[in-house]
Amino acid sequence: MLELLGTIGGNALGLPGILGLALGMMTRRLWLGAAMGALIGVIETLLFAGWQIAHVEALELMIAVVVGICAGSLGCLIRRIGATA
Amino acid sequence: MAASPENRGWIRRLWSWIWTPAVAFSSGFLIIAGFLAGILFWGGFHWTLELTNTEEFCTSCHTMETNLGEYRETIHYNNHSGVRAICSDCHVPHEWNHKIKAKIMAVKDVYHELAGTISTPEKYEAHRLSMASAVWKKMKASNSRECRNCHNFDYMDFTLQETRAASEHQRAIDNNMTCIDCHQGIAHSLPSDYLETYQKVTEALDSKTPGAAHQQVAENGEQIRSFLTTRTDQ
């Protein structure tokens, strides 16, 4: 449980959360925002696993991707509400 | 958004203020202001986080003083090269995401401090093995990441090491072993039955990640420890 919360927090304050949000803010297309967030999640997990697929933990990957998707979608919503163009 | 302003609560007014395009400020002004605010905020955040990495912070809880005392007797506190490893060097990762994770998980420390889980020496000793297991589990799973922030097999000159250390380290490389497999109790006292527990911890981890299984525990833990202790006491 703690492990899970910690991983989520680490991701939300890390690349998936922050870069995901920023990328999401660049598009009005929800699916694109979410997809970019997810991609950042994958990249970050790989990065911290030293680019070795064998070192990737399924749960960590999943959490990073989910956090990325949430951040990307949120960024996209911010774009939709907060920009006139 | 056309409702008359008087009818709206302050939350809704704030909400629409946030999302209405700014009239008085240029985009450049807003970007620069946001950038500066971001730097200040992040700097402050990071600084606060670093404060929670100091020895003073860790030992501000008296329950952590048992470990402080034990650790002060060891080589990581005082040594001939004058490099010190403090609590956070061994217990808090450097990598951002692992660090945030560790800090969030440490919230349970606060809970247990309030609940008094380890408030007396007797309770501490009763609980030590389970706490140590938690640390071992983390270190084993991360290939002793925190040790490797300072030490590395690649940087070791085996010809300068004691023969036994060099050959054990060669064995460690060959068998894919990690620092904590042999160096338990490097900074704190160990309960007498620690090796069995350590074995259980690693077996549980191994069964989760098949293929990593090996006989990965030092055969002569006692000897390593007594050797290292006598050396530190010099």
Side-chain angles (χ1 to χ4, degrees), chain A residues 3 7 9 13 48 60 82 84, chain B residues 19 21 95-97 101 104-105:
Chain A
E3 191 88 40
T7 315
L13 285 174
F48 277 99
E60 301 222 330
T84 48
Chain B
W19 300 115
E95 294 82 356
W96 181 253
N97 63 343
K101 182 172 167 183
I104 291 177
M105 286 173 71

Side-chain angles (χ1 to χ4, degrees), chain B residues 20 102 168:
Chain B
T20 311
E168 281 297 288

Side-chain angles (χ1 to χ4, degrees), chain A residues 61-81:
Chain A
L61 181 66
M62 216 175 68
I63 293 175
V65 168
V66 170
V67 170
I69 290 177
C70 292
S73 313
L74 182 65
C76 177
L77 291 181
I78 292 178
R79 173 61 174 263
R80 288 200 195 175
I81 306 174

Side-chain angles (χ1 to χ4, degrees), chain A residues 5-79:
Chain A
L5 278 179
T7 315
I8 294 175
N11 279 297
L13 285 174
L15 272 187
I18 291 173
L19 193 56
L21 190 69
L23 287 176
M25 282 169 73
M26 294 183 183
T27 176
R28 284 177 167 272
R29 273 170 287 181
L30 193 58
W31 66 267
L32 185 59
M36 288 192 293
L39 185 68
I40 298 297
V42 175
I43 292 179
E44 192 234 30
T45 315
L46 280 176
L47 189 75
F48 277 99
W51 302 108
Q52 280 168 296
I53 311 280
H55 291 182
V56 171
E57 272 191 49
L59 186 67
E60 301 222 330
L61 181 66
M62 216 175 68
I63 293 175
V65 168
V66 170
V67 170
I69 290 177
C70 292
S73 313
L74 182 65
C76 177
L77 291 181
I78 292 178
R79 173 61 174 263

Side-chain angles (χ1 to χ4, degrees), chain B residues 16-146:
Chain B
S16 72
W17 175 78
I18 290 176
W19 300 115
T20 311
V23 188
F25 301 99
S26 68
S27 304
F29 182 95
L30 286 179
I31 288 172
I32 293 169
F35 192 67
L36 291 178
I39 292 176
L40 285 177
F41 173 79
W42 198 258
F45 180 67
H46 199 256
W47 179 70
T48 320
L49 205 62
E50 280 307 305
L51 279 187
T52 68
N53 259 356
T54 57
E55 190 182 292
E56 289 75 30
F57 175 80
C58 297
T59 51
S60 65
C61 284
H62 72 95
T63 52
M64 292 287 109
E65 277 168 13
T66 318
N67 298 84
L68 178 69
E70 291 164 1
Y71 143 79
R72 287 217 162 133
E73 307 289 311
T74 70
I75 188 148
H76 286 101
Y77 186 74
N78 260 333
N79 56 61
H80 68 253
S81 35
V83 181
R84 178 173 290 177
I86 61 169
C87 316
S88 55
D89 288 324
C90 290
H91 289 295
V92 185
H94 285 181
E95 294 82 356
W96 181 253
N97 63 343
H98 298 308
K99 178 160 148 180
I100 297 291
K101 182 172 167 183
K103 291 294 178 191
I104 291 177
M105 286 173 71
V107 169
K108 74 146 176 44
D109 283 21
V110 180
Y111 164 78
H112 283 287
E113 179 79 11
L114 295 175
T117 311
I118 50 172
S119 54
T120 64
E122 295 74 38
K123 282 189 189 173
Y124 190 99
E125 289 310 325
H127 203 50
R128 187 195 287 271
L129 202 52
S130 86
M131 289 191 292
S133 306
V135 177
W136 291 331
K137 200 168 140 210
K138 284 183 246 179
M139 288 194 177
K140 179 73 178 166
S142 70
N143 187 12
S144 311
R145 189 200 306 122
E146 279 65 66

